[in-house]
Amino acid sequence: MASQLLRSTFQQTKKLLGCGSYIKHQRVGIRKQWMSQLPKSDASHVPPAFLSAENKWLSLQFDQNQKNYPYVWLRDNCKCSKCYHEVASQRLLQFVDLDIDVEAKSMHVSESGKDIFINWSDGHEGFYPLSFLEGEHFPAFSDPLRQVKQELWGSELQGQIPTFQFSDILTKDEDLFAWLTALHTKGFAVIENAEREVGQIHKVADRVAYLKRTYYGDTFQVTVKLDPNNIAWTGTGIDFHSDLCALYNQPGMQMLHCIKQSSSGGSNILADTFKIIPELQKEEPDVYNTLKNTLFEFTDIGTEFNDFNFRSSKPAFSYDYEGHLRQVSIHFGRHHSMNVPADKVYDVYKALKVFFHYLHKKENMVEYKMSEGDIICMDNRRLVHGRSEYTIDPSIEGVQRHLEGGYIDWDEMNSCYRVLFKRLGKKE
């Protein structure tokens, strides 16, 4: 629609003004704006595009919305074959050769009405598909994920956990997209009816991109070990924690596949810290500030494929540059120290005690005991999880509880979401 309007109005203007194949821009000081030269009877045909030398931008009208594109950005984003490699989707124009004070001398529209050409003061003719310009915004990122809103939750999620079928995730893009959406909004989902053997989370990861390899391998097996280097390999209960806090960037999304479940105990507990932390900030500001500003030392030391010794120093709550919660780091079965003077240690412990009290409130928790074939999927930077104690019957031979775990980073999850968003024809 916009391209048809652009074509028709430009052609009418050329005929009325006799200005050839281009449209002159307004001059600073002279302010000779060519649109004002249209006869009053043709006011309804004012073209939806003009160049402004005063503001140094191109203005386009899309469905009653005016968008402005600065000259320097347009020159940098020329889509002609000399400036842009279409297959690689990358610029060919070297930034060192870009004139940031470039001026637009004239503009014309293609015969199809779908492209704009601008003659620049550096002698280049720029090429800009209207479809490309329509998708760009200032100020904003044209990213569909920015429209996805988090849905914070507490115990009301009990019995309402987003659930998907394993076979659908592997074969249907709509279900895969819905699963990714649930993980972006709620940070938690369950996949049911996977085969009860190792390798199933590999199949899920392959639908997205690939598994994140860590010092425990591509995946890890959660069973009882005689010489564990992690308490997850025991039957003891585990308090709320995030995985692999010894890494500065913790794995994004964790999957746990239940291959064999214990007869008693072994339930998972989960809490949404992105809901709890703002409540803590409002009700216990001193506690919040202590945990936000204290640097904790997280370590992970042991032997798996080789000897490892990982360490990070970071606060419990980390924020991005826009001030949004980015990552929660809670794993106090692992850390051994905190970077505070001795006389402040009790204050930090008191703050931790209050925070864990919030985590364990019934209204903030969800409990879920996996059935065999279930895969629980959780945002490892947002949710904290734990496990109730389970017992092993020494009179029974063989493995009595077996989970396989693995991770996918959010960059790969986000990429898959955008690909499916476009493939499935979703609208922002």
Side-chain angles (χ1 to χ4, degrees), residues 11-50:
Q11 289 175 338
Q12 292 176 40
T13 302
K14 288 193 295 182
K15 182 177 180 181
L16 287 165
L17 300 181
C19 59
S21 61
Y22 67 90
I23 296 171
K24 295 180 179 179
H25 64 293
Q26 58 183 353
R27 301 285 185 181
V28 177
I30 299 176
R31 299 191 58 79
K32 188 177 180 181
Q33 199 166 5
W34 63 269
M35 291 186 300
S36 63
Q37 298 177 19
L38 287 173
K40 291 183 180 180
S41 60
D42 291 331
S44 61
H45 300 295
V46 173
F50 67 92

Side-chain angles (χ1 to χ4, degrees), residues 349-375:
Y349 272 94
K350 289 177 183 177
L352 287 171
K353 191 72 174 179
V354 172
F355 181 50
F356 270 75
H357 172 70
Y358 271 71
L359 294 177
H360 280 275
K361 286 183 177 181
K362 288 185 177 181
E363 62 265 31
N364 289 333
M365 292 174 53
V366 164
E367 181 175 349
Y368 184 82
K369 183 168 182 176
M370 289 187 287
S371 300
E372 294 177 0
D374 283 354
I375 303 174

Side-chain angles (χ1 to χ4, degrees), residues 281-292:
Q281 182 180 13
K282 180 180 179 180
E283 299 169 6
E284 300 282 353
D286 291 341
V287 169
Y288 166 81
N289 287 323
T290 296
L291 297 179
K292 179 175 178 287

